[in-house]
Amino acid sequence: MTGIQILPDTGKGLSHESEPSRFSHFYRACALNIASTISLPSLLDIDTRDALVDVTIVNGQVPDTLDIPQVTVGPNWELAESHFLLKIPNIGKFLIRDASRITFQPAPGLPPEELSAFLTGSVMGLLLHLRGALVLHGSAVKVGDGAVILCGPSGAGKSTLAAALGKRGYAMLCDDLSPLFEDPEHGMRVHPDGRRHKLWDNAVEALDLNARRGEGVRTQMHKFHVAPVATISHPLPVKALYELHKSDNGEIVSITRASLLDAAAIVRRNAYRPRIMRELGQQAAYFSGAARITQTSGIFVLRRAMNFDHLDQVLDCLEEQWATPAFPKAGNAK
Amino acid sequence: MTPRSWLASYPKSGNTWFRLIVANLDAEDDNSLATGSSGTPDLMASARAPFDDMLLLESGLLTHDECAALRPLFHRAELMQDGNGVFRQEAERPHSTKMGYRLTKTHDAWSYLPDGQPVLGGAQAAGNAILMVRDPRDIAPSLANHMGFSIDQAIDFMNDPDASLSGRRHEQTLQLRQLLMCWSEFNASWLDQTSIPVHCIRYEDMQEAPMAAMSAALAACGRAVDTERLRRAIERTSFDTLHKLEEESGFAEAYRGRRFFRRGVSGAWRDELTRGQVKRIERNHAAMMDRLGYEAAFYSEF
């Protein structure tokens, strides 16, 4: 499978396999209906019990190796077409079959709940890549009638910024991965990732979100699920994409519009897992997807001081740009 | 030979300057300063994004110890990619990159996992190392500026056996935790490990006789150097040039808006530290200072 299927998979769907009662938790995330044997507290409670299931998540035995030809063996993963095996020592093993059936096996002694954040994070992102979706590593919020995506590597401050914008009334679409699908009627749209925010406790404190704080993402970690102030359950067209950077000259905030050439490169390098794209040979399809986003959206680089003291100024700067008439095409970069 | 050298140093010891010189060795244009990888924190051994991308996981869901446990695997795997960044079963051949090898900056002390593996992956992850050292009395004021510490706090930090960078448990930074230990232990960890050969280079010698110091260091990583190119690269990266460059356009490694290239002068501690501060550093690090050839001013007093 080397092509990108831009349309969401609305095919026949999986049956609830032989034992429908095994599944006790149902979610909708990234345009997929998910049935799981364990609770996934990262995901919002959207009951899709009666819908066709696209993805199943089951606690079971996972082999140490993919026993199929044409497999690429990485340091802790194996990849072959639509099958994927991920091994995280002392955490567990994750198997994706046919880009739709996920089996996970916790490391000895570890409760299955400890793996839920991995299932809805990396594993879901990998599954979307296997399905040929264009997946960006970014948070997304609703601005006007479209979506603004905030991209950057882990630690760049995506979730924090999205949660801070949530407090200013911008409904949340995605926390960490932004799946894009194109259809003839609506063009390229971001689909909700169905997540709660994942925030470190310093961000929860600084944003005064203690009241919305839920379970920890793992028992040992100071990182928590935080209920968004408001969410959107339908896809939105991409209005703008910002690549987040730390300012390196003491400047509090600046926004620069990317050149056409840079814009496509920004979209490509913010793929959720660029390696999977490379290993699957999807670059060409990603290239054309990136080009389509740049045609209709504004692509910007946002540099800002990465501390909570200046967060309000960063938000003000963004809001000012969004208020510009004809944004994103004509919105001034600051 | 394993196609990588670690460029290890305690922070504020001239690591960036060294890498800028190397980046400028290959620069064609005589007039412009090539910053190369120096401004790219991604190319540090501890960078989070390449770790996540190689292992296809979210390190943000792992504890610092769990990340550390995966680092040997990661560092070895880094050398198993083709020119397009696609994973290959066999190790990268030397000379497959422009420089013929990778020079990777690290502030990690040479430390071991509970199972005895070196965190940095041992001889399969690098062929050798260059350790850059600097007079700890000059590091203290520079570190204070870099981290937003008082000088006394910087001296405490340099004496903390558990010191680390990016090691907090309440936030996630772009780097994985780097165990530093105290200044003496940091340097001892590299000098005393036996997995890979290490070449020690002093910041002060780089200032005093840069051609000789750089030639020796590059030769230690198996790199033949064109003398004329090296001379030009050193000229291009004079401290005044770097200071001016930062003034004009900032520098990516500056910490929270503070100045990265501050004074760059050796021996400036004489007018930046109090007598008590000098004594404290010398008392804490006497043995390692002696080993590295830094003479204590108050030696007779302890």
Side-chain angles (χ1 to χ4, degrees):
Chain A
M1 185 175 77
T2 54
I4 295 239
Q5 301 165 332
I6 298 294
L7 284 170
D9 189 341
T10 53
K12 294 188 294 285
L14 300 172
S15 71
H16 284 200
E17 299 204 332
S18 51
E19 306 161 73
S21 59
R22 284 205 297 167
F23 299 103
S24 44
H25 302 273
F26 299 86
Y27 305 95
R28 181 161 179 83
C30 306
L32 299 167
N33 294 327
I34 299 165
S36 171
T37 57
I38 65 160
S39 163
L40 303 169
S42 321
L43 298 181
L44 295 161
D45 301 311
I46 303 168
D47 197 334
T48 52
R49 192 177 305 263
D50 299 327
L52 282 171
V53 173
D54 300 304
V55 175
T56 55
I57 299 178
V58 175
N59 186 352
Q61 289 291 316
V62 173
D64 282 321
T65 182
L66 281 182
D67 192 16
I68 34 181
Q70 300 289 310
V71 66
T72 303
V73 181
N76 62 324
W77 47 261
E78 297 187 16
L79 173 65
E81 291 198 16
S82 57
H83 309 297
F84 186 86
L85 173 65
L86 178 67
K87 293 175 278 191
I88 310 181
N90 304 317
I91 302 287
K93 296 184 283 187
F94 304 87
L95 173 68
I96 305 174
R97 283 173 298 165
D98 303 314
S100 58
R101 286 175 293 152
I102 298 169
T103 311
F104 68 95
Q105 182 179 354
L110 205 65
E113 294 72 33
E114 286 286 295
L115 273 61
S116 74
F118 294 91
L119 286 164
T120 50
S122 294
V123 176
M124 188 57 67
L126 293 164
L127 179 138
L128 287 161
H129 271 302
L130 292 178
R131 289 171 92 92
L134 204 157
V135 199
L136 295 176
H137 199 187
S139 302
V141 294
K142 177 179 182 287
V143 175
D145 53 2
V148 163
I149 308 179
L150 307 160
C151 285
S154 297
K158 302 179 294 290
S159 294
T160 302
L161 202 51
L165 286 165
K167 286 202 72 186
R168 289 203 178 186
Y170 297 93
M172 165 162 146
L173 203 63
C174 304
D175 173 60
D176 185 51
L177 49 92
S178 292
L180 292 151
F181 298 105
E182 187 171 47
D183 67 69
E185 195 182 338
H186 302 99
M188 193 76 90
R189 294 189 300 173
V190 193
H191 287 250
D193 70 356
R195 312 268 197 106
R196 295 186 163 85
H197 298 295
K198 281 200 303 282
L199 296 172
W200 291 88
D201 56 2
N202 68 334
V204 176
E205 287 293 329
L207 296 173
D208 192 20
L209 288 168
N210 270 312
R212 313 190 71 83
R213 193 173 95 167
E215 293 175 47
V217 298
R218 283 183 61 199
T219 45
Q220 302 185 56
M221 299 196 77
H222 299 265
K223 194 176 198 178
F224 298 89
H225 297 299
V226 174
V229 176
T231 55
I232 293 292
S233 58
H234 56 270
L236 290 173
V238 186
K239 185 175 247 189
L241 184 152
Y242 295 82
E243 185 178 67
L244 306 186
H245 290 266
K246 177 175 81 115
S247 73
D248 50 25
N249 56 1
E251 198 172 29
I252 291 168
V253 56
S254 75
I255 298 174
T256 320
R257 184 184 290 277
S259 70
L260 212 55
L261 200 65
D262 288 345
I266 287 173
V267 177
R268 288 201 305 280
R269 72 169 166 251
N270 284 290
Y272 181 68
R273 289 284 176 252
R275 172 166 306 279
I276 284 291
M277 195 175 84
R278 295 197 297 273
E279 302 287 350
L280 291 171
Q282 290 178 337
Q283 292 101 320
Y286 235 89
F287 197 99
S288 64
R292 284 200 293 285
I293 298 172
T294 58
Q295 280 160 15
T296 52
S297 339
I299 312 289
F300 303 93
V301 172
L302 170 64
R303 294 182 188 280
R304 84 284 187 223
M306 272 182 79
N307 58 56
F308 293 106
D309 300 342
H310 294 117
L311 187 56
D312 272 323
Q313 279 165 271
V314 176
L315 302 179
D316 290 347
C317 184
L318 283 168
E319 285 194 301
E320 196 182 318
Q321 194 190 26
W322 297 341
T324 318
F327 174 79
K329 279 294 148 192
N332 291 329
K334 301 282 166 192
Chain B
M1 191 177 82
T2 311
R4 160 149 63 196
S5 302
W6 297 119
L7 179 60
S9 70
Y10 196 85
K12 310 314 287 177
S13 301
N15 196 310
T16 299
W17 183 27
F18 188 104
R19 280 175 305 127
L20 281 170
I21 294 173
V22 172
N24 278 272
L25 280 175
D26 296 316
E28 296 301 327
D29 179 354
D30 262 359
N31 299 318
S32 71
L33 176 84
T35 50
S37 62
S38 64
T40 313
D42 254 17
L43 296 183
M44 274 182 73
S46 50
R48 185 183 293 278
F51 179 89
D52 287 14
D53 186 50
M54 172 59 78
L55 303 180
L56 298 174
L57 49 77
E58 286 171 278
S59 57
L61 293 176
L62 300 175
T63 62
H64 290 310
D65 286 342
E66 287 167 346
C67 287
L70 287 164
R71 284 187 63 184
L73 189 68
F74 165 63
H75 291 306
R76 291 193 291 261
E78 280 184 292
L79 303 183
M80 300 175 76
Q81 302 179 82
D82 66 15
N84 298 317
V86 172
F87 192 83
R88 290 284 169 259
Q89 296 284 2
E90 66 277 13
E92 185 179 37
R93 283 179 302 125
H95 310 298
S96 62
T97 58
K98 189 183 173 196
M99 302 246 312
Y101 73 102
R102 295 161 184 239
L103 182 68
T104 306
K105 170 181 176 173
T106 178
H107 289 319
D108 291 282
W110 187 273
S111 65
Y112 299 88
L113 296 169
D115 66 4
Q117 281 192 86
V119 168
L120 288 171
Q124 288 165 284
N128 49 57
I130 297 168
L131 172 68
M132 251 196 111
V133 299
R134 187 183 185 188
D135 189 325
R137 293 163 297 191
D138 278 330
I139 293 177
S142 183
L143 187 69
N145 170 71
H146 185 67
M147 308 275 279
F149 287 165
S150 69
I151 288 179
D152 284 316
Q153 285 174 318
I155 293 171
D156 289 344
F157 185 79
M158 290 170 70
N159 198 38
D160 179 356
D162 299 319
S164 64
L165 297 175
S166 306
R168 279 180 281 214
R169 297 179 63 210
H170 299 263
E171 64 176 13
Q172 181 174 320
T173 63
L174 293 165
Q175 299 288 321
L176 303 171
R177 179 189 62 193
Q178 303 136 72
L179 189 62
L180 268 179
M181 317 203 251
C182 79
W183 178 82
S184 293
E185 289 173 311
F186 178 92
N187 292 313
S189 78
W190 280 94
L191 292 168
D192 298 338
Q193 57 76 31
T194 51
S195 300
I196 51 172
V198 60
H199 174 87
C200 183
I201 176 171
R202 301 194 329 159
Y203 182 86
E204 294 75 13
D205 296 338
M206 285 265 294
Q207 285 193 313
E208 189 74 25
M211 286 294 290
M214 283 301 297
S215 301
L218 292 168
C221 344
R223 174 140 197 211
V225 188
D226 178 308
T227 314
E228 186 49 29
R229 276 181 177 274
L230 179 58
R231 192 188 56 73
R232 284 204 306 267
I234 290 169
E235 270 171 22
R236 270 198 294 263
T237 54
S238 75
F239 193 83
D240 288 345
T241 311
L242 301 182
H243 196 266
K244 192 156 164 276
L245 176 86
E246 183 177 18
E247 206 150 75
E248 286 164 3
S249 51
F251 191 71
E253 293 178 30
Y255 187 73
R256 303 204 166 155
R258 282 184 278 274
R259 198 84 211 202
F260 189 85
F261 297 108
R262 197 185 57 107
R263 281 184 73 176
V265 181
S266 290
W269 58 269
R270 291 174 200 283
D271 57 68
E272 290 188 307
L273 300 182
T274 65
R275 235 180 123 80
Q277 288 169 334
V278 173
K279 278 189 187 175
R280 210 142 71 82
I281 296 172
E282 292 182 354
R283 200 180 313 117
N284 294 342
H285 302 295
M288 184 51 71
M289 283 180 68
D290 187 50
R291 185 172 175 187
L292 297 174
Y294 297 118
E295 200 182 332
F298 296 102
Y299 189 73
S300 56
E301 295 185 25
F302 39 83

